[in-house]
Structures are given as C-alpha cells and as structure tokens.
Amino acid sequence: MNRMRELVDKLNKWAHEYYVLDNPSVPDSEYDKYYDELKKLEEESGEVLPDSPTRRVGGEPLKAFSRHEHIARLYSLDKAVTKDELSAFFTRVKKVVPSHEFTVEYKFDGLTMCLTYEGGNFVRATTRGNGTVGEDVTAQCLTIKSFPLTVSYKGTLEVKGEAVIRLSVLEEYNKTAAEPLKNARNAAAGAIRNLDPAVTAKRRPEIYFYDINYMEDGAPATQAECFKWLKKEGFKVFPYVRLCKSEEEVEAAIDEIEVGRRNIDVLTDGAVIKLNDVAVREILGSTDKFPRWAIAYKFEAEESVTTVRQVRWQVGRTGKLTPLAELEPVDLAGVTVRRATLNNYGDILRKGVKTGSKVLIRRSNEVIPEILGTVEHTEGSIDIKKPEVCPFCGAEIAEVGANIFCPNRLCRPRVVAKLAHFASKDAMDIEGFSEKTAEQLYDETGLINASQLYKLTKEQLLSLEGFKDKKAGNLLSAIEKSRTVPLDRFIYALGIEGVGKVAAADLAKSFKDMQSLRAADSQSLVALDNIGEVTADAIVGWFEDNENLAELNRLLSYITPQTKKVVTGGVLAGQFVVLTGTLPTYKRSAAQKIIEDNGGVCQSSVTSKTTLVLAGEEAGSKLEKAKKLGIKIIGEDEFKTMLGLQ
Ligand SMILES: [Zn+2]
C-alpha cells in the first residue's frame, strides 16, 4: 500500500511537471516503468487510489453524450470589438464602482469546459453547452492530463477552463492525418465532443483553467487569488495575467496580448477583462445574458509590421494635439496604409515608438490604423519629442491630464476640423462641404465659426477657387437645408469633447431641447447610459464657456433642431438592426429611417445585441460576422415584405 502511494505521488508529480508546467524532469521510459509497476500492484490488490494516474483512461466509446446541469450557470461574456465599445464598458462599470482593479488575460479560442470535484475528487467534466446544461465528457476529459484528479478542497467545486489544441500539436497531427483538421478551434471542440475517448487522446487537447465557477464555501475574493489557487492545486493556468488599476493599463495589457499572441502556441482571439474583486462583481450583477463585470475584447483586425518614417502632430477640433505616424507604405488586406494613429505622447512612450522603429499596426473598423507596439528598433531609431508649442500657430502648449492642447481658438487646423465636423454627414449633413472647403473659407473669407456659414453669400463662394455657379448654388442650398435638423445631430455637430453619435442621441432623447440640456448638471448627465463622468464634465464645461454660448445662440437663430418622435411598438420594436452593403433601391439613410420609424434601433456594427442584419450587394465583414453569430440576415425584398411595403 505504501509503495502504491509512493508510486502515485511520483507519477503525479512527473505528470504535473510534464503537462502543467511544461517542464518534464524524467524521460517517458522512466515514467512508463513506474506506471507499469503501479498498474500491476493495483491489479494484484484490487485497489485503486482516487488520484491514481491509471484512472485517466477514457474507456469505451459512448453511444451518446448524457447531459448534465451545471451547479452555477457558466456565463459567456459580452464582447467588444472596438475601443469605443470597450470604453463604454468602463463607463458602465465606473458608474457603479468608481475605483477598482481589473485583470486582463488571454482569451483562448477553443471549447469551454467545466470540471466538478466532490470530497476532493474529480467526478465529472462537462462542456459549457448552453450555460445551464452541458454534455458529460468525463471519459474524454480523463485522457487529458493538465488537471489534478484530487484537490485539497473537500467541498463541492466547479472549475472552468478552455480546452485547446496547441498549434504545433495540430500541425503535427495534420502531417499524418487522413483528414486534416481545419483549425485549432474546431480541432479542440471535435476532440472533446467525440464519442470515442481514444480519438480525444490521439488529438492531445489540453485545458487552460481560468475560473472557479462554484465553490461551496465561497470562492477566493479576487480573480488574482483564484489564479493562485488553481495553480497551487495543480491546474494548468496560462502564465500571462495582468492586474490593472486603470483603463489605460487595461488597454496597454490588451496591446501586449495583441503583440504577444503571435509568439504563443495556442490560438487566441482576444483578451478577457474582469473586475478583480468578487464582492464588487456582485454589486454589478449581470444582465439576462452576460455578467456586467467582465468583457471579452475580440481581435478581428488586419495587422502588419512596418517602419515609422516620422511622427507629425495634428490639431483636432478641440485643440487636442494627436500624434500621427507616417509609415513606410504597407499593404493591409488590399489597402495601402501610409499613416497610423497614436493616442498621445504617453502612448508613444508606452509603446516605445521612435522614428525609424518597426511597429505593429492594426486596421480595424476605424479608418486610420493604429500602432499597437514596437517590434524592434533599428540603428537609426530616434526618440520622439513632445512639442512645446503648437506646430501650426506657435501658441504655447497646454497640458491637461495625459493630453496636450493648442489653446488658440483661431488656430487654423482646429477651426478647419471644427467646421468639417459640423458639416459632416452624421452632424449637419451639409452636402458638398469638405475639409478643403473649410480651409478655403478660413483662408479666403476669414470664416471661423459654423454660424457664419448661414450668412455666406454666393459672391463669397464664387471668389473661391473651383467654385462655379452650380457648385456654389448647391452648397448654399445644402446649408439652407440643414436649418432643420434632428436634435441629436445638432448636439453632435457642436463637437463637445467625448460626445459622439451615441451620446448625442442619448442626450437628445433625455433632454428634448437645448435649453434643458444647457441646464443639466453633471449628475443628471451621468445618469444616462452612454455618458461617463469625464464627458458629463466636458458637457457642463462647454455650456459654461461664454464664447460657446454666444456661438450656440447665433446657431439657434438660424437652425431649428427637431426632437425625434420615439416610436414604441412597430414591426421592428425590440430589434437591433445593422445595415451593410448597397441595397438595390433604398439609400442607407432611407432604410435607416424606415427601421427607426418602425421601432427598430440601428447599430453601426454587429454586436452580440444585434438581432437582424439587412444586407445588400458587397456586404463585407459585418455580414461574415453576422453569419458567424447566427444572426438573422435579410435582403431588401424580405425587408419590404416584413414591413408590408410591397
Ligand atoms: Zn495652434
């Protein structure tokens, strides 16, 4: 008996070193020798210890999977695919818990598993299934060695992990397989959800553990402690996890993962961000679908490596100076990329970007790609300096938090950006007014405020290069047309820092007119879904500025913002709709109006909330994503039928 105990301990230690720590200390032949001895002893005595490695045999093929209910529901996570969506998550969290820590870890792309222990012994493995009920894959799981058969905790326990197949293992397998496996995600799912445990064993999946789903006497108080506990008990845990104290630190960790995932042997498709403190999680709770305290940031973008030629500073409509990197042109999914954005000077330092460095860039939904990090410096790499004066007007730079500003309201690029934003499609939608028009008007007529557009004469326009009778006439009528505009677009057009389209719509819906919005205090602003503290302060600050107020009054003497009717009920009530591609007869704006008039909500990108996609010709990645998520997709014809329009 003592010998048996000794053998089991020895074999388990070696297996742990081999499968969990990736650091074998004995050759396979040595392991096999002791394993055989143990097996023989067990046969002779008819006794098998609960943590004996001989229990890790999958057994005979099953006829069907039995189903099993999880003790606690296995949640899946809400997803963010843009930095905007990520920042919306922080805004929502901050409202409830202003100060907090997050953990950031890799999001592995495999099959989510739940392992149950009772009285310290492994009893069952299930797939996530629908979150409540999963398939019993105990026999399959027993062929995997990256988890312990016994744990020191004696209560009922469920741990959660992701079954994966290493990329190198997949490659190896495909070399000799009659039917090569397409990708590591399908391979992992296929290996586990396979009725024959021998097939599972052959495909060599592993499990990375990352959560305690249920612990009878309460789980560890934080995510960081949870990782520690899992490791201590012998579960395989991926070595990367970051504890972050701010949104910036989280973003830095995400970038780190984005760069790092190229060098690891496991398929990853993003990062998982969780509130560290379990007690705080409980305050936040969950929606009917997802916990509110965690989010998965998914990488979906095209990436490439190229060299930074130089960094220029741009002045935006609020005066903020943003670094723009000029790059050696590089092809990214069929588009030649020459420039990439960086957030601010701190971002340059954090990412180690220098002139002449090789950097990793990503192009996603944003028009201009961003720099994720530096891959390597070259001999000629030069540090980038922080400007002390505005490169355009020479005004001394003002620093506010992490950002630097040109304080000069008349600074040319600042005025131009403000005017172009005001006239843009999602704002006042003045057709025919481009950034170039703004530059010309600034240079030739001294126009500095949007309100002056409404006093423009044809003579003034005709004096500008490229403006003939027709073009001038068209622009004037477009300006005239913009005098009636939905309130949300007017609010967006004002260009208040942090107030994007979504926030503007929120403000319009809640305050109904400019007078009420102007009177709003921070508190009532923060109460809105899409307004965080910083933006609330920016809004209040904007209305406290006399120059802004004077301009607002001038604008309101020309423009009549309209409050939108809110449609309740309607054929599309409760639907979140995404438009993509070119429709045969409807313009995008027309289709959008029909959707909203029928109670639907239009979204700019496909998210987990999306319920319907209206797709036309040349629908691209949005359609792909919708297919992947199994969202209902319709064409214009079906759309018309649905609404009784034909
Ligand atoms: Zn300036």
Side-chain angles (χ1 to χ4, degrees), residues 315 319 321 389-395 397 406-408 410-414:
V315 177
L321 267 74
V389 295
C390 171
F392 297 94
C393 70
I397 290 302
C406 167
N408 175 11
L410 300 180
C411 183
R412 184 178 186 263
R414 189 173 159 177

Side-chain angles (χ1 to χ4, degrees), residues 497 521-523 525-526 531-542:
E497 176 100 60
D521 57 7
S522 281
Q523 228 177 348
L525 290 166
V526 171
I531 310 283
E533 236 166 77
V534 176
T535 305
D537 288 345
I539 295 169
V540 172
W542 196 91

Side-chain angles (χ1 to χ4, degrees), residues 105-141:
E105 53 195 276
Y106 275 83
K107 178 178 183 301
F108 293 116
D109 203 3
L111 184 75
T112 305
M113 308 267 296
C114 177
L115 271 59
T116 310
Y117 289 78
E118 268 160 23
N121 295 322
F122 168 72
V123 291
R124 192 183 312 107
T126 42
T127 62
R128 195 187 89 84
N130 63 8
T132 312
V133 177
E135 286 166 339
D136 189 324
V137 288
T138 308
Q140 288 73 8
C141 195

Side-chain angles (χ1 to χ4, degrees), residues 179-384:
E179 250 183 273
L181 300 167
K182 271 196 208 106
N183 63 49
R185 184 203 306 118
N186 295 349
I192 304 286
R193 298 187 60 247
N194 194 300
L195 290 169
D196 186 356
V199 173
T200 312
K202 215 172 134 214
R203 296 194 186 168
R204 292 161 59 205
E206 298 171 52
I207 308 176
Y208 283 110
F209 293 88
Y210 54 82
D211 251 336
I212 294 170
N213 194 51
Y214 177 83
M215 203 175 205
E216 207 176 339
D217 313 314
T222 65
Q223 183 66 26
E225 280 169 41
C226 167
F227 273 117
K228 234 183 256 168
W229 187 89
L230 288 168
K231 230 190 275 183
K232 188 192 85 185
E233 293 289 343
F235 292 95
K236 192 176 181 104
V237 171
F238 194 76
Y240 181 101
V241 59
R242 288 276 178 277
L243 192 57
C244 301
K245 295 196 190 312
S246 67
E247 204 172 320
E248 288 71 33
E249 284 183 25
V250 169
E251 284 189 12
I254 291 175
D255 290 345
E256 216 171 52
I257 286 178
E258 174 105 64
V259 176
R261 74 187 176 121
R262 258 148 269 273
N263 300 320
I264 66 168
D265 197 18
V266 192
L267 184 69
T268 57
D269 62 346
V272 174
I273 299 108
K274 293 175 190 158
L275 260 173
N276 188 36
D277 193 320
V278 173
V280 176
R281 290 180 184 178
E282 273 158 26
I283 301 172
L284 277 150
S286 55
T287 67
D288 56 346
K289 266 182 159 171
F290 308 113
R292 286 200 182 87
W293 45 264
I295 197 157
Y297 185 77
K298 295 254 282 182
F299 303 131
E300 285 203 301
E302 310 289 343
E303 292 152 5
S304 187
V305 172
T306 187
T307 304
V308 176
R309 277 183 175 164
Q310 64 158 323
V311 168
R312 281 192 297 123
W313 292 84
Q314 289 188 304
V315 177
R317 60 174 197 266
T318 57
K320 186 156 102 186
L321 267 74
T322 323
L324 183 76
E326 289 183 357
L327 310 165
E328 294 287 345
V330 60
D331 187 76
L332 217 56
V335 179
T336 306
V337 170
R338 296 165 200 280
R339 298 179 306 175
T341 56
L342 288 151
N343 295 325
N344 49 40
Y345 190 70
D347 201 30
I348 293 178
L349 295 183
R350 186 157 59 71
K351 291 173 178 167
V353 177
K354 298 179 183 191
T355 307
S357 313
K358 284 200 176 355
V359 292
L360 177 68
I361 57 166
R362 172 176 64 186
R363 187 172 150 265
S364 52
N365 308 333
E366 284 86 348
V367 187
I368 302 179
E370 59 176 330
I371 292 182
L372 299 169
T374 301
V375 179
E376 66 169 306
H377 296 300
T378 55
E379 263 177 38
S381 290
I382 306 164
D383 288 343
I384 292 157

